[in-house]
Amino acid sequence: MTLETTRLRLRPFREDDVQAIYDNSSAPEVGLNAGWKPHESLTESYDVLHLMFLDQPTVWAIERRGDGRVMGSIGLIADSARQYGSVRSVGYSLGTAYWGRGYMTEALRAVTEYGFERMSLDLISATCYPDNARSRRVLEKCGFAYEGRLHRAELLWNGEVRDHLHFYLPHENLK
């Protein structure tokens, strides 16, 4: 399933996206904000492509319509904190070259609309780290409400333990 916005095409990942995944995911700022080790090789990006992105019906490559560049990823995945079928959690990442231009806000709005209208979801949740002000701002612009801080929520690849800020968007609040 492909979703289109004014500037973006959200499409399934393909094998030939591995270089773009590496280019976007090798930047330390991207990995640290998303909770993964910055990619150190194309092989690592290839493994992630096959493990997390390919053949996932609600995980999309974020492609700029003007030039076809893959800028990042966005997906609706199971919410481990809510144990019923009409809830998903949204996760996303964007290459640093594309930050501050409203691309992620545009992508998130398309994905939340898809989740509510096509998947009949009741609620979409999201988390981010307390120091990730950019991600928090995207969530707030898209109507997500802050629901609290989960302390010591995640052990990262580098041994650091991080808190999560939790957000939610019920269907009736879709902006």
Side-chain angles (χ1 to χ4, degrees):
M1 167 64 63
T2 298
L3 309 176
E4 303 242 351
T5 69
T6 303
R7 299 181 297 164
L8 306 174
R9 178 175 295 109
L10 308 181
R11 60 156 177 84
F13 275 92
R14 303 183 304 243
E15 288 278 345
D16 63 349
D17 290 327
V18 69
Q19 183 67 53
I21 292 169
Y22 174 75
D23 292 344
N24 293 325
S25 300
S26 61
E29 304 90 343
V30 173
L32 295 175
N33 282 325
W36 67 61
K37 179 175 74 67
H39 293 196
E40 296 176 355
S41 69
L42 278 174
T43 301
E44 193 172 350
S45 296
Y46 178 87
D47 291 344
V48 168
L49 173 67
H50 282 266
L51 181 67
M52 307 207 38
F53 295 154
L54 285 181
D55 301 320
Q56 301 295 320
T58 58
V59 175
W60 297 272
I62 302 171
E63 180 181 280
R64 192 164 49 189
R65 289 178 69 176
D67 60 12
R69 288 195 180 234
V70 173
M71 302 183 295
S73 64
I74 189 165
L76 291 169
I77 59 174
D79 181 336
S80 62
R82 292 178 171 91
Q83 302 298 317
Y84 72 103
S86 59
V87 173
R88 293 290 183 279
S89 183
V90 66
Y92 49 79
S93 71
L94 191 68
T96 57
Y98 311 105
W99 288 6
R101 299 181 188 171
Y103 290 126
M104 190 52 72
T105 300
E106 190 172 326
L108 181 56
R109 285 185 175 136
V111 167
T112 55
E113 182 177 318
Y114 176 85
F116 290 133
E117 302 306 320
R118 302 289 293 278
M119 296 175 68
S120 300
L121 298 177
D122 291 335
L123 183 134
I124 297 173
S125 66
T127 64
C128 68
Y129 298 125
D131 60 345
N132 191 345
R134 289 178 182 277
S135 188
R136 182 177 186 151
R137 182 71 185 124
V138 166
L139 293 168
E140 290 169 345
K141 284 195 285 188
C142 291
F144 281 74
Y146 178 67
E147 75 182 322
R149 182 181 195 129
L150 186 61
H151 296 272
R152 298 180 183 155
E154 181 181 4
L155 175 63
L156 297 182
W157 57 273
N158 61 4
E160 183 180 356
V161 177
R162 301 289 308 270
D163 293 355
H164 285 176
L165 301 183
H166 286 254
F167 296 83
Y168 71 101
L169 179 65
H171 183 233
E172 58 272 15
N173 288 9
L174 180 64
K175 284 189 173 184

